[in-house]
């Protein structure tokens, strides 16, 4: 009886896999853009507010800041014009900035 073994290709490093797949490459770009946007707006946030704000990947529909709770979201909405101006000043394309409360 012969043993039937399938050849398993060597695993690719994650960076190589991300670059090899168009959809993964787009996702990587969106995540990096979001990270850079988040870093750009952080100086506009009070030190007590910043840990309660995260970001979702940017897409053609805009960029979303995710607030830990409704109070944080309310403060972000007050700061929204300032945050949008900061993004423009940092050279980011003007896309709608959305603010959402993190769902539990």
């Amino acid at each position: 009886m012969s043993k039937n073994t399938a050849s398993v290709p060597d695993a690719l490093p994650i960076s190589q896999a991300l670059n090899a797949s168009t959809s993964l490459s787009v996702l990587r770009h969106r995540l990096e853009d979001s990270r850079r946007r988040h870093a750009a707006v952080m100086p506009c946030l009070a030190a007590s507010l910043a840990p309660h704000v995260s970001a979702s990947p940017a897409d053609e529909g805009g960029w979303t800041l995710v607030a830990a709770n409704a109070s944080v979201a309310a403060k972000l909405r007050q700061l929204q014009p300032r945050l949008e101006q900061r993004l423009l000043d940092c050279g980011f394309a003007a896309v709608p900035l959305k603010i959402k409360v993190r769902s539990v």
Side-chain angles (χ1 to χ4, degrees), residues 5-100:
T5 58
S7 174
V8 178
D10 292 333
L12 292 175
I14 189 72
S15 60
Q16 205 173 0
L18 288 173
N19 290 330
S21 167
T22 303
S23 58
L24 290 177
S25 181
V26 168
L27 177 60
R28 182 181 55 83
H29 175 67
R30 288 177 46 206
L31 289 169
E32 178 59 25
D33 182 58
S34 180
R35 186 198 61 75
R36 290 185 300 110
R37 287 174 184 272
H38 188 249
V41 300
M42 289 307 284
C44 298
L45 304 180
S48 59
L49 182 66
H52 305 286
V53 178
S54 59
S56 69
D59 61 23
E60 61 279 346
W63 180 55
T64 304
L65 284 176
V66 181
N69 56 54
S71 298
V72 172
K75 186 60 180 175
L76 288 174
R77 287 185 185 99
Q78 288 178 337
L79 293 171
Q80 189 166 351
R82 183 176 175 194
L83 300 175
E84 289 171 339
Q85 186 59 51
R86 171 74 177 174
L87 291 169
L88 290 174
D89 292 347
C90 289
F92 291 98
V95 296
L97 173 59
K98 301 176 228 171
I99 298 166
K100 296 189 178 180

